Structures are given as C-alpha cells and as structure tokens.
Amino acid sequence: RQRQMCIRDSNDLVAKMDPSLLFGKKLKTVTYSIGKMNEIIDRGDAYKMVKIAECLQVQGINMLGKHVAEHPDLKAILIAGPSSSGKTTFSKKLQKALESNGKVAQCISLDDYYVDREKTPLDENGDYDYESLYAIDIDLFQRDLTSLLKGEEIELPRYDFTTGQSVMSGKSIHLDSNTVLIIEGIHALNPLLTDRLPSDRLFRIYISGLTVAKNDDGTYFPTTDNRLIRRMVRDAQFRNTTASSTLARWPSVRRGENKWVVPFQTNADANFCTAFQYELALLKHQAIPLLCQVEASDPNYMEAQRLKWVMEHFHDISVDMLPPDSLLREFIGGSAFEY
C-alpha cells in the first residue's frame, strides 16, 4: 500500500520537460533522497541546504533576465504554469533580474482580466469555471497589449474578487524602449490569447513545481503533492479556506490544468522548475495541523491521511531558515514582496 502511495504521477509533467535545462544548458542542481536530506537536517546543516537551493534558483532566474535583456526586440514575457507553481513571486523575482540587467519591468496579472462573474463559463457541475480560458476577457487583453506594444498608454483593469466585477484600477502604464512587460497567468501560453500579437516580440516561460523528492528505494512521491500542499497552506492563511475545501476542489483544478494549461507548455521558449526538494519538510509545520482538522466522516479524509503520511517522511526544517524573498513565502507568508 505504501508503495502505491509513492508511485510517480504519469499524468503530470515530469515526463514532458527537463526542469534542469535552460537554453540547452544544464543548470546546477543538488539532489538527495529523503533519507539523505534527513541526515543533513539531523546534523544541523539544513540552513546550508536551503541557502544553496535558493541561490541556484536565483541563478536560473538571472539567466532568464540576462537573455531577455540581450534581446531588445522582446517586449513582453508571458509566464504560465499550473496552480501554485509560484507564478506571482517568480514574476517579481524575474523583474528584479531584468532590472539588474539594466531594464525596466512592469508586471500585470491575467487574473485582472477576468470577465464579470455572471459572464464566467460554468463547468460540468454548474460551478463557475475560473480555469477556463473564456473566463478571461480575451478581446480586452489583446487590445491592451496591442496598444502597449505600439508605445501607447493604457489604464489597467482590476478584478474585484469580492463583487465579481471587472473595474478600472486607476493605474496607467506604457512601455518605453527600455521597458519589458511581464504577464503571468495560467493561460499565458495559450495561442488563442496572443494570436493577434507579434510573436517575435514575446518570450514565453512555463513554470511548474515539480517535486524531486524520492525514497531511498528510488520511488517518487506524486509530482503534484508539492503544489497541492502549497495551495492548501496558502488558501488557509490568505483565503480563509479549510483543508477539506482545498482537497475537494483539487480534482477540478487538475482537470482544468490538463485541459487549459499542460497542453500548451510546448509553446514555451524556456521551462523552469520552481520546486525545492526539501519544501515538504518546511511546509509540514503548517500543513499537518490543517490536515488534522479533516474529520473521519469527511469524504476527503483518506486523501488528508495520505498527505500526512507523505510529509511525515521528512524531518523538520524551521520556517525561520527561509529568506524573506523566497518563492515559498508566497504560500506561507512573511514575504518581502507585496501581493
């Protein structure tokens, strides 16, 4: 039974991309089994492991920033990836990388281009399908981006999640010759979103939190567990959502990803893995208490128990070891970035 719980998720992205490659170059990585990681933690060297992993991720993001800066015709960076890949923080870190290479960067989110709630498509259960491309006001997005690429100024929309209405934000932006636009959202690589835009002005990045955690016998934990646990911790802290609600919603999120996100990863100019091998050892501090609140009568109880079982394989890493600009801070809080 335990072996069944550790099998690789064949429907995820592991077989479809090599996250250690960027522009054909092998990125430096440090890979340990869970047993080896636990030895490092037990001898008091967890901080070094965290610091090295953070530095290697920054190095990869800086490579992307340098590449874009060296190609002045690129005016917009499109960042897509499945839920809880860390798109927002990745965008902010890429903005810093661009600025360190002499560029000015503006960030916008596709979430602000949602249509009014009553216009949102419904899924097979009659619920609002926010995973659908058609939950986005495609015409407005294309008009705005076309204007920006012409050097014109636009006022950005803002989606009010409380009222479910699209409103104008009062924030205006324009792109001068030294400015790059960063656009993040799950649909950013869908060609239907950008088919009226000049392809040679766009740079596309696909990110995902692919776990590399494995047992000493070589078996991997399902590759989506990292993202599910990230989402559960984030939603509990910032969206007042129970673990049971996140677990109940997850199958629908995965179906939406497989329909609207994963098929377009081949459109990317670069792939990037945002997972840290050790992150479940850190997230468990917040995740396990949430999972313990899922009662035995709850339909999501068995999945909650499975996730607890996964995280109990990891020895504890203190959240205090995580730097304030870490991508994981998007999910656990205490980030140096504003969201």
Side-chain angles (χ1 to χ4, degrees):
R1 179 169 175 265
Q2 288 186 351
R3 186 147 183 112
Q4 287 180 331
M5 296 172 83
C6 288
I7 60 172
R8 188 190 298 271
D9 184 350
S10 61
N11 292 322
D12 206 54
L13 313 174
V14 155
K16 301 177 184 177
M17 60 183 273
D18 183 350
S20 66
L21 291 175
L22 197 60
F23 305 127
K25 299 178 181 178
K26 193 80 171 176
L27 294 179
K28 293 179 181 178
T29 56
V30 181
T31 303
Y32 304 112
S33 68
I34 294 173
K36 182 64 176 177
M37 279 196 294
N38 288 339
E39 289 179 15
I40 293 171
I41 294 167
D42 292 344
R43 69 171 182 251
D45 286 335
Y47 179 76
K48 294 179 182 178
M49 184 167 58
V50 171
K51 188 172 183 178
I52 290 170
E54 292 285 342
C55 288
L56 291 176
Q57 186 178 89
V58 169
Q59 181 185 61
I61 294 173
N62 285 342
M63 285 177 63
L64 290 168
K66 185 173 185 291
H67 175 83
V68 173
E70 290 174 346
H71 293 78
D73 289 342
L74 297 176
K75 296 301 294 179
I77 304 173
L78 302 167
I79 300 171
S83 174
S84 301
S85 295
K87 293 181 290 295
T88 303
T89 304
F90 181 87
S91 298
K92 293 178 181 296
K93 292 172 84 75
L94 182 57
Q95 182 179 22
K96 290 176 62 178
L98 286 164
E99 290 171 350
S100 70
N101 281 279
K103 303 295 275 188
V104 176
Q106 299 266 15
C107 293
I108 65 174
S109 172
L110 281 175
D111 286 358
D112 283 321
Y113 283 86
Y114 276 133
V115 297
D116 292 341
R117 187 167 292 156
E118 63 270 17
K119 299 177 183 178
T120 304
L122 304 179
D123 63 16
E124 63 275 11
N125 298 317
D127 298 321
Y128 291 120
D129 186 3
Y130 292 107
E131 315 297 326
S132 169
L133 173 66
Y134 300 105
I136 300 293
D137 190 334
I138 299 173
D139 288 338
L140 176 60
F141 173 79
Q142 292 190 336
R143 286 199 307 271
D144 280 356
L145 203 54
T146 298
S147 296
L148 286 170
L149 292 177
K150 290 179 179 178
E152 299 171 1
E153 184 175 281
I154 66 158
E155 181 181 357
L156 291 171
R158 179 179 62 83
Y159 186 75
D160 188 325
F161 284 88
T162 303
T163 65
Q165 299 295 306
S166 177
V167 298
M168 299 313 294
S169 67
K171 178 182 178 181
S172 295
I173 64 169
H174 77 283
L175 306 181
D176 61 27
S177 60
N178 198 44
T179 304
V180 178
L181 185 66
I182 299 175
I183 305 159
E184 61 92 2
I186 63 172
H187 299 295
L189 300 191
N190 191 317
L192 292 177
L193 193 69
T194 57
D195 59 1
R196 299 181 219 162
L197 303 172
S199 182
D200 59 345
R201 311 292 300 280
L202 311 177
F203 186 74
R204 301 169 179 84
I205 305 173
Y206 185 89
I207 71 171
S208 189
L210 297 175
T211 180
V212 289
K214 64 180 179 180
N215 278 322
D216 292 333
D217 64 2
T219 55
Y220 285 78
F221 290 115
T223 59
T224 56
D225 281 351
N226 271 43
R227 295 192 295 109
L228 172 54
I229 293 167
R230 283 179 175 186
R231 180 176 174 128
M232 181 178 64
V233 169
R234 179 201 65 193
D235 287 1
Q237 182 159 352
F238 300 113
R239 303 182 183 182
N240 196 30
T241 302
T242 65
S244 179
S245 295
T246 299
L247 294 175
R249 176 70 178 160
W250 190 243
S252 174
V253 171
R254 292 298 315 284
R255 286 193 298 272
E257 292 171 355
N258 288 331
K259 180 177 181 181
W260 296 109
V261 184
V262 176
F264 303 110
Q265 64 179 299
T266 54
N267 295 336
D269 299 301
N271 292 313
F272 198 97
C273 179
T274 62
F276 298 100
Q277 185 182 14
Y278 60 80
E279 68 181 75
L280 295 184
L282 189 143
L283 290 169
K284 65 183 289 188
H285 294 284
Q286 290 166 277
I288 288 180
L290 294 172
L291 292 167
C292 288
Q293 296 172 14
V294 181
E295 298 179 352
S297 58
D298 193 303
N300 301 295
Y301 178 75
M302 289 304 297
E303 179 65 354
Q305 293 301 303
R306 184 189 72 80
L307 291 172
K308 283 173 57 182
W309 175 86
V310 168
M311 284 182 287
E312 285 165 356
H313 283 73
F314 295 82
H315 293 185
D316 292 1
I317 293 179
S318 171
V319 173
D320 294 338
M321 294 184 183
L322 203 62
D325 63 346
S326 173
L327 184 139
L328 285 182
R329 290 285 181 185
E330 179 176 334
F331 306 96
I332 67 172
S335 178
F337 298 110
E338 293 184 7
Y339 297 100

